[in-house]
Amino acid sequence: MKKALLIAILAVFATSIANAQDAYEVKETWQKTITVSDSQASTIEKLFTAWGKEFPGIYLDAFNKFKATGKADKIKIFDDVMDFNVEFAPKNGYLEINGTHVFTSTQDGATEEFSRNHILTATYWSLPNGNKLFGVSINDDGEVFPECALAFYEYDAAKGTLSPRPKIVQKVMDFINDDEDTFVILPKEGRDLHYIDYHDNGKLKTIKWNGNGF
C-alpha cells in the first residue's frame, strides 16, 4: 500500500476520543485516577461504567444501549452506524463489546474499501491485598493496521477509586514485540493474558499471572 494512502487513513482516525474511542488515540490518556460511585450494579459493570464516563465513546454507547434494549445496534461512528455484539458476564467479571466498521478511502482518484474490527474487553480479579485489578483492552484490528491499547487499574472499594497501574501494563508490553501490531485478549476465565503475535505468523501466545503481576 502506498505510504500516502496509509497516512490518509491514519488521519481519518486521528479524531477525539468522544468520536471514536480509537486505540491509537486513547492509550496515552488512560493514566488518571477514576472515582467509582457506589451502586448496586455488578462489579464489572460498575468499574466499566466509571471508566467509560471518563473516556466516553462507542463502547460505552454500545453497552448502555445493550443494557437498555438488549442489543447494541445503530451506534454512530463517524458518518456511519455500527451494530455491536455485547457479551456481558457479570458472574465471571467479564465484558466484551465488538463491532465491525466498513469504510472507504480515496487517494489519487482510486477508492478502496477497508474493514476495521473494534473490540473492547474488560475484566477484573482479586489481589492479595483485598483490592481488585481491573483491566481494559481495546483492539482495533483492520486490514490497514492493527492497534492495541491496554490499561490496568487497582480498585480500592473503601476509597471508591480506580488507580492506574502502568508498571503492570509495561510488564505485559515487555513480552510483546510491538503494541501497535498485537492483539491482546483479556481472560474470561482465569488470570492469564493471551495475545496474537503478528510478528510470529499470528501465533496465539500466553502471559502468565504469578499472583502479583505478569
Side-chain angles (χ1 to χ4, degrees):
M1 180 182 295
K2 293 181 179 180
K3 184 177 181 180
L5 177 57
L6 178 57
I7 292 172
I9 294 169
L10 282 167
V12 169
F13 286 94
T15 58
S16 69
I17 298 171
N19 287 336
Q21 193 68 313
D22 183 77
Y24 188 79
E25 291 295 309
V26 304
K27 63 185 177 182
E28 298 297 333
T29 72
W30 289 1
Q31 302 307 314
K32 64 182 294 186
T33 298
I34 298 169
T35 299
V36 181
S37 60
D38 189 25
S39 74
Q40 297 301 312
S42 65
T43 301
I44 187 64
E45 179 180 354
K46 185 186 303 184
L47 299 184
F48 172 72
T49 301
W51 176 88
K53 287 180 179 178
E54 293 293 333
F55 306 104
I58 55 176
Y59 300 106
L60 181 62
D61 292 344
F63 182 70
N64 286 339
K65 190 158 189 179
F66 169 80
K67 289 289 293 181
T69 68
K71 57 183 180 179
D73 58 351
K74 305 300 183 290
I75 305 299
K76 188 172 183 180
I77 175 171
F78 304 111
D79 294 326
D80 304 319
V81 293
M82 294 177 59
D83 293 336
F84 282 84
N85 293 315
V86 177
E87 181 178 356
F88 179 45
K91 290 184 178 180
N92 292 79
Y94 181 80
L95 174 64
E96 180 179 318
I97 305 170
N98 66 78
T100 301
H101 177 211
V102 178
F103 63 97
T104 59
S105 178
T106 301
Q107 184 73 17
D108 298 329
T111 299
E112 294 189 54
E113 184 176 275
F114 302 93
S115 65
R116 188 158 187 169
N117 299 318
H118 299 266
I119 304 173
L120 176 146
T121 52
T123 189
Y124 76 91
W125 57 75
S126 297
L127 294 171
N129 64 4
N131 291 342
K132 308 292 185 184
L133 187 69
F134 172 65
V136 180
S137 176
I138 287 182
N139 294 281
D140 289 347
D141 183 29
E143 294 178 0
V144 181
F145 55 90
E147 298 168 356
C148 169
L150 178 68
F152 282 99
Y153 301 83
E154 185 169 345
Y155 172 53
D156 187 326
K159 295 180 179 178
T161 57
L162 280 168
S163 301
R165 292 294 177 259
K167 289 184 179 180
I168 295 179
V169 176
Q170 187 56 55
K171 188 66 175 179
V172 172
M173 292 307 172
D174 287 346
F175 286 92
I176 295 174
N177 287 299
D178 184 353
D179 68 324
E180 291 186 7
D181 198 13
T182 305
F183 195 103
V184 175
I185 304 167
L186 295 179
K188 181 177 179 180
E189 297 181 356
R191 302 179 182 184
D192 298 334
L193 300 188
H194 306 283
Y195 69 98
I196 298 172
D197 189 346
Y198 290 102
H199 292 271
D200 192 10
N201 299 315
K203 290 183 179 178
L204 183 66
K205 298 183 178 181
T206 299
I207 303 173
K208 292 287 187 179
W209 176 259
N210 63 21
N212 292 293
F214 295 102

